[in-house]
Amino acid sequence: PRLPNEIWREIASFLPRRDLRSLLFVPHVLSSISSQLLFRRLCLQLGTIPPHTSCQRVHEVPLTADSDIVGWHAQRSAGILSRLASDVIYANSVRSLSVWAPGQFLTSANMAMLANVLPQLTNRKAFTCRMCNNALAQLFAILEKSHPKLHNLVIKSTSITPSPLPKLHFLSCFAYRGPLIGRSPDLRELLSSQTVALHTIIIHRGIGDYSTPFHSTSNLRKLHLALSIADADFVSQILSSGHQLESLWLQVTLKLGCVLSTVLRAHARPNSFPSLSEFSFLLRHVGYGYVDEDLFPAVAAFVRGAPALTALCISHPPGLNTVGYNSAFSDVLPLLINLRALKFRVPESLSFELSASLIPRSVVALELQTPFDVLLPGSTVSKIQQLLPLFPGELKFLSLPANFSPNVESVMRDCPPTVRIMCLNKCYYTIHRTDKEQTFEHWTGQRERIYVNNYLEEVDCEEIRFLYSRLPLCW
């Protein structure tokens, strides 16, 4: 039909990115409209992605950086920046921009192009950057002048020294991921300086031992923290004022004497968190001699008070027997009838068959953590193949931790026909099915570390996002 371009644009704005890409090849005004809409969310890769070492060990494939792939991404990013610099329509289309520079520095040419383009993105509301401190400082100086009212900011520093922080005061979403080693900056001043209400805070390796909250949680809808806790009052004050939380993700190291069970039980009342749909409690480590046998029973009681959960992650270090994990969730999981995504460590006291039967049938994304060599003696692969029918029938994603390197394809061939993505020993695969054959695509480093958010949307597996370890910095 002969419709005005404005109507076509309105129709196309509701399409997912995979459909917009298909429209690029249509000889119609929809082609240019789709191209502009795809520019709403851009990701630029300036540098080399390091090899995925865990997959390299498993498959003995040298996953070193491919110069052709690196060159292609560099050419693509340069082409996008050139288009933005020369075409105001495309520049005005950008709403979210991500810049990834895994190396130690950005070239002067890359920095000059970014400095030229960033002020022209007048409608940009979100910015993600992964680079060294020197490059961060230069980009923040540009942002403070060109986008003082930026709404969403994600920072991931690759340096071991404390990263610089921008002087932006209108953030509603803020995420920070510090380096594995080295010191991180004190983020409390930046958070407290905001003139609008922050509704999303995501911090990984960004703060040290805290005994008091660094920011009020009364207006937060999403709070993701990976930190070391020395005083249970820290969690108590977060929960006391965080009744509007929709997503709570905690990955904690507990110091000796930090007893969280009493705090969690105090907030385990029904409807204490009426909007809570995503909850994660990942116990990473405890101090030597730590004992709290009521910890995970208290976590289970907290989960029981939020029956509307759609995503749940529960885990603890293997072999830790002083936190009451074994029998905590056997009577809670079946109650979560709305659950769509589940990450769960199988208790050593339960058989794998019983644990699998406890998983709600509504789950479509499942990650199981368990020592298969202990729970499933004998032929691990054959045992898994026997147990696959016990999983929910509509699974889209299945993650198993055991080392299946000699039999990866045999496991994936026997997985439920609805599964589109599998993770075996931290390596991700997409399963492609046709009437005649079934093929498996191993994820590249670029997809796994940079473009996974868009890819999950393409394959209709967005339920994985809360489980995926590299995605907490995305919203």
Side-chain angles (χ1 to χ4, degrees):
R2 295 183 177 179
L3 299 176
N5 291 353
E6 292 77 8
I7 300 298
W8 285 118
R9 177 179 289 275
E10 184 67 19
I11 294 173
S13 66
F14 290 94
L15 297 177
R17 292 178 68 88
R18 61 178 180 273
D19 292 337
L20 291 176
R21 271 194 283 272
S22 299
L23 290 176
L24 292 175
F25 304 98
V26 176
H28 189 272
V29 67
L30 276 172
S31 177
S32 60
I33 290 175
S34 298
S35 179
Q36 295 168 18
L37 292 176
L38 285 170
F39 268 66
R40 289 179 300 184
R41 190 167 74 230
L42 291 178
C43 184
L44 306 179
Q45 180 187 329
L46 307 172
T48 301
I49 297 297
H52 196 312
T53 54
S54 64
C55 290
Q56 186 168 347
R57 287 196 307 269
V58 173
H59 301 286
E60 297 183 357
V61 176
L63 297 178
T64 54
D66 189 321
S67 59
D68 293 337
I69 294 177
V70 173
W72 183 89
H73 280 284
Q75 185 177 3
R76 168 187 173 274
S77 298
I80 291 175
L81 289 173
S82 298
R83 171 58 69 91
L84 294 175
S86 60
D87 195 322
V88 67
I89 294 178
Y90 280 83
N92 289 336
S93 299
V94 177
R95 299 295 185 272
S96 173
L97 176 66
S98 299
V99 180
W100 292 73
Q104 291 301 310
F105 57 89
L106 282 173
T107 65
S108 57
N110 287 335
M111 183 58 69
M113 293 182 70
L114 286 172
N116 181 42
V117 167
L118 288 179
Q120 301 183 44
L121 310 182
T122 56
N123 294 319
R124 180 164 55 90
K125 303 299 181 184
F127 183 62
T128 299
C129 49
R130 181 189 187 273
M131 56 193 65
C132 66
N133 288 348
N134 182 49
L136 286 175
Q138 296 180 62
L139 285 183
F140 290 160
I142 299 171
L143 286 177
E144 290 167 5
K145 296 179 180 178
S146 64
H147 293 79
K149 294 187 177 181
L150 187 72
H151 291 174
N152 301 356
L153 178 64
V154 178
I155 303 172
K156 183 172 182 181
S157 173
T158 60
S159 301
I160 61 174
T161 56
S163 65
L165 297 175
K167 297 178 181 178
L168 300 172
H169 306 297
F170 293 88
L171 297 175
S172 56
C173 302
F174 175 74
Y176 176 87
R177 188 183 186 96
L180 284 171
I181 58 175
R183 295 181 295 123
S184 295
D186 191 338
L187 302 172
R188 288 174 291 184
E189 182 178 353
L190 173 66
L191 297 176
S192 62
S193 68
Q194 301 308 309
T195 59
V196 297
L198 274 163
H199 62 70
T200 296
I201 296 178
I202 301 174
I203 299 177
H204 289 196
R205 301 192 295 268
I207 50 181
D209 297 339
Y210 267 68
S211 58
T212 57
F214 52 90
H215 188 77
S216 172
T217 58
S218 57
N219 295 308
L220 289 181
R221 297 200 299 268
K222 177 182 288 188
L223 178 63
H224 291 193
L225 297 176
L227 73 167
S228 176
I229 303 178
D231 192 334
D233 286 343
F234 176 79
V235 176
S236 178
Q237 294 180 46
I238 286 177
L239 297 179
S240 296
S241 59
H243 298 293
Q244 302 303 316
L245 284 170
E246 299 173 4
S247 178
L248 177 60
W249 189 96
L250 298 174
Q251 179 178 291
V252 299
T253 294
L254 299 180
K255 299 294 185 179
L256 188 63
C258 180
V259 181
L260 284 186
S261 55
T262 54
V263 171
L264 292 169
R265 286 202 178 275
H267 294 87
R269 300 181 298 273
N271 297 320
S272 293
F273 298 85
S275 303
L276 190 64
S277 60
E278 299 175 340
F279 177 69
S280 174
F281 186 85
L282 308 176
L283 182 59
R284 185 177 181 85
H285 186 67
V286 297
Y288 178 77
Y290 184 92
V291 177
D292 185 0
E293 294 286 356
D294 192 41
L295 177 58
F296 276 98
V299 174
F302 183 87
V303 171
R304 189 193 297 271
L309 285 177
T310 59
L312 175 66
C313 299
I314 300 293
S315 184
H316 78 294
L320 182 62
N321 300 317
T322 60
V323 290
Y325 185 83
N326 281 340
S327 59
F329 291 92
S330 58
D331 60 342
V332 175
L333 285 180
L335 303 177
L336 305 178
I337 59 176
N338 298 309
L339 204 63
R340 302 281 291 172
L342 174 64
K343 178 178 181 177
F344 182 64
R345 178 172 291 280
V346 176
E348 296 181 7
S349 62
L350 294 181
S351 67
F352 190 84
E353 292 86 349
L354 179 58
S355 297
S357 66
L358 296 176
I359 299 171
R361 300 297 97 182
S362 58
V363 169
V364 297
L366 176 62
E367 177 177 343
L368 291 179
Q369 297 180 335
T370 179
F372 282 101
D373 56 336
V374 175
L375 294 179
L376 301 173
S379 176
T380 302
V381 173
S382 62
K383 287 285 186 178
I384 288 296
Q385 292 169 341
Q386 295 173 16
L387 294 170
L388 285 174
L390 298 177
F391 295 139
E394 300 298 324
L395 281 181
K396 299 179 184 179
F397 169 74
L398 178 61
S399 175
L400 300 172
N403 189 337
F404 294 112
S405 55
N407 299 283
V408 169
E409 292 190 2
S410 64
V411 174
M412 288 194 286
R413 284 197 182 95
D414 292 330
C415 72
T418 56
V419 173
R420 302 170 189 177
I421 298 176
M422 283 199 74
C423 178
L424 301 177
N425 200 36
K426 300 183 181 180
C427 294
Y428 287 81
Y429 304 85
T430 300
I431 303 176
H432 300 284
R433 296 182 177 89
T434 64
D435 294 337
K436 297 182 179 180
E437 63 178 353
Q438 181 173 273
T439 58
F440 317 105
E441 178 190 1
H442 177 246
W443 285 19
T444 63
Q446 279 81 9
R447 175 183 295 174
E448 184 175 343
R449 303 186 185 193
I450 300 179
Y451 303 107
V452 63
N453 210 15
N454 292 339
Y455 184 73
L456 293 180
E457 181 182 324
E458 288 184 15
V459 296
D460 190 25
C461 286
E462 296 177 89
E463 293 88 354
I464 304 176
R465 284 177 173 164
F466 194 69
L467 308 184
Y468 189 72
S469 60
R470 296 186 183 276
L471 268 188
L473 295 189
C474 302
W475 39 68

